Short mmCIF file of all heavy atoms in Angstrom, two decimals:
data_model
loop_
_atom_site.label_atom_id
_atom_site.label_comp_id
_atom_site.label_asym_id
_atom_site.label_seq_id
_atom_site.Cartn_x
_atom_site.Cartn_y
_atom_site.Cartn_z
N ALA A 597 -46.94 -123.62 -43.81
CA ALA A 597 -46.40 -122.44 -44.50
C ALA A 597 -47.55 -121.51 -44.87
O ALA A 597 -48.60 -121.95 -45.32
CB ALA A 597 -45.64 -122.86 -45.76
N GLY A 598 -47.32 -120.20 -44.65
CA GLY A 598 -48.35 -119.21 -44.95
C GLY A 598 -49.34 -119.07 -43.81
O GLY A 598 -49.14 -119.56 -42.71
N GLY A 599 -50.47 -118.38 -44.10
CA GLY A 599 -51.56 -118.29 -43.14
C GLY A 599 -51.39 -117.26 -42.04
O GLY A 599 -52.12 -117.31 -41.04
N ALA A 600 -50.48 -116.31 -42.20
CA ALA A 600 -50.29 -115.29 -41.16
C ALA A 600 -51.47 -114.31 -41.13
O ALA A 600 -52.20 -114.17 -42.11
CB ALA A 600 -49.00 -114.51 -41.40
N THR A 601 -51.65 -113.65 -39.99
CA THR A 601 -52.58 -112.53 -39.88
C THR A 601 -51.74 -111.26 -39.96
O THR A 601 -50.83 -111.08 -39.15
CB THR A 601 -53.35 -112.56 -38.55
OG1 THR A 601 -53.99 -113.84 -38.40
CG2 THR A 601 -54.40 -111.45 -38.49
N VAL A 602 -52.00 -110.43 -40.96
CA VAL A 602 -51.13 -109.27 -41.19
C VAL A 602 -51.94 -107.97 -41.12
O VAL A 602 -53.14 -107.95 -41.41
CB VAL A 602 -50.40 -109.36 -42.56
CG1 VAL A 602 -49.51 -110.59 -42.60
CG2 VAL A 602 -51.39 -109.38 -43.72
N PHE A 603 -51.25 -106.90 -40.74
CA PHE A 603 -51.85 -105.58 -40.60
C PHE A 603 -51.08 -104.62 -41.52
O PHE A 603 -50.06 -104.05 -41.12
CB PHE A 603 -51.78 -105.11 -39.15
CG PHE A 603 -52.59 -105.95 -38.19
CD1 PHE A 603 -52.15 -107.21 -37.80
CD2 PHE A 603 -53.79 -105.47 -37.68
CE1 PHE A 603 -52.89 -107.99 -36.92
CE2 PHE A 603 -54.55 -106.26 -36.79
CZ PHE A 603 -54.10 -107.51 -36.42
N PRO A 604 -51.53 -104.46 -42.77
CA PRO A 604 -50.78 -103.68 -43.77
C PRO A 604 -50.53 -102.22 -43.38
O PRO A 604 -49.50 -101.65 -43.74
CB PRO A 604 -51.65 -103.77 -45.03
CG PRO A 604 -52.50 -104.97 -44.83
CD PRO A 604 -52.74 -105.05 -43.36
N GLU A 605 -51.47 -101.63 -42.65
CA GLU A 605 -51.33 -100.21 -42.31
C GLU A 605 -50.11 -99.95 -41.42
O GLU A 605 -49.51 -98.89 -41.48
CB GLU A 605 -52.60 -99.71 -41.60
CG GLU A 605 -53.84 -99.68 -42.46
CD GLU A 605 -53.74 -98.66 -43.59
OE1 GLU A 605 -53.27 -97.54 -43.33
OE2 GLU A 605 -54.10 -99.00 -44.73
N VAL A 606 -49.77 -100.92 -40.58
CA VAL A 606 -48.67 -100.72 -39.63
C VAL A 606 -47.49 -101.65 -39.87
O VAL A 606 -46.47 -101.57 -39.18
CB VAL A 606 -49.17 -100.87 -38.17
CG1 VAL A 606 -50.18 -99.80 -37.84
CG2 VAL A 606 -49.77 -102.27 -37.94
N GLY A 607 -47.61 -102.56 -40.86
CA GLY A 607 -46.51 -103.46 -41.16
C GLY A 607 -46.30 -104.55 -40.14
O GLY A 607 -45.16 -104.91 -39.83
N ALA A 608 -47.39 -105.11 -39.61
CA ALA A 608 -47.29 -106.16 -38.59
C ALA A 608 -47.73 -107.51 -39.16
O ALA A 608 -48.66 -107.59 -39.96
CB ALA A 608 -48.15 -105.80 -37.39
N SER A 609 -47.06 -108.56 -38.72
CA SER A 609 -47.43 -109.93 -39.07
C SER A 609 -47.52 -110.77 -37.81
O SER A 609 -46.61 -110.74 -36.97
CB SER A 609 -46.39 -110.56 -40.01
OG SER A 609 -46.38 -109.93 -41.28
N VAL A 610 -48.62 -111.51 -37.66
CA VAL A 610 -48.82 -112.40 -36.52
C VAL A 610 -48.99 -113.80 -37.08
O VAL A 610 -49.88 -114.05 -37.90
CB VAL A 610 -50.06 -112.00 -35.70
CG1 VAL A 610 -50.25 -112.95 -34.53
CG2 VAL A 610 -49.94 -110.56 -35.21
N TRP A 611 -48.13 -114.72 -36.64
CA TRP A 611 -48.12 -116.06 -37.23
C TRP A 611 -48.94 -117.04 -36.38
O TRP A 611 -48.93 -116.96 -35.15
CB TRP A 611 -46.68 -116.56 -37.38
CG TRP A 611 -45.91 -115.65 -38.29
CD1 TRP A 611 -45.17 -114.57 -37.93
CD2 TRP A 611 -45.88 -115.70 -39.71
NE1 TRP A 611 -44.67 -113.94 -39.04
CE2 TRP A 611 -45.08 -114.62 -40.16
CE3 TRP A 611 -46.43 -116.56 -40.67
CZ2 TRP A 611 -44.82 -114.37 -41.50
CZ3 TRP A 611 -46.18 -116.32 -42.01
CH2 TRP A 611 -45.39 -115.24 -42.41
N PRO A 612 -49.65 -117.96 -37.02
CA PRO A 612 -50.48 -118.91 -36.29
C PRO A 612 -49.65 -119.82 -35.38
O PRO A 612 -48.57 -120.27 -35.76
CB PRO A 612 -51.13 -119.75 -37.41
CG PRO A 612 -50.95 -118.98 -38.66
CD PRO A 612 -49.71 -118.17 -38.48
N LYS A 613 -50.15 -120.05 -34.18
CA LYS A 613 -49.54 -120.99 -33.26
C LYS A 613 -50.67 -121.66 -32.49
O LYS A 613 -51.45 -121.00 -31.80
CB LYS A 613 -48.58 -120.29 -32.29
CG LYS A 613 -47.85 -121.26 -31.37
CD LYS A 613 -46.88 -120.54 -30.43
CE LYS A 613 -46.20 -121.54 -29.50
NZ LYS A 613 -45.31 -120.87 -28.53
N LYS A 614 -50.76 -122.96 -32.63
CA LYS A 614 -51.87 -123.70 -32.02
C LYS A 614 -51.94 -123.48 -30.52
O LYS A 614 -50.92 -123.49 -29.82
CB LYS A 614 -51.71 -125.19 -32.32
CG LYS A 614 -52.90 -126.03 -31.88
CD LYS A 614 -52.70 -127.48 -32.25
CE LYS A 614 -53.92 -128.32 -31.84
NZ LYS A 614 -53.75 -129.75 -32.16
#
Side-chain angles (χ1 to χ4, degrees):
T601 305
V602 299
F603 295 74
E605 293 294 316
V606 296
S609 293
V610 179
W611 299 92
K613 184 179 179 183
K614 187 178 181 181

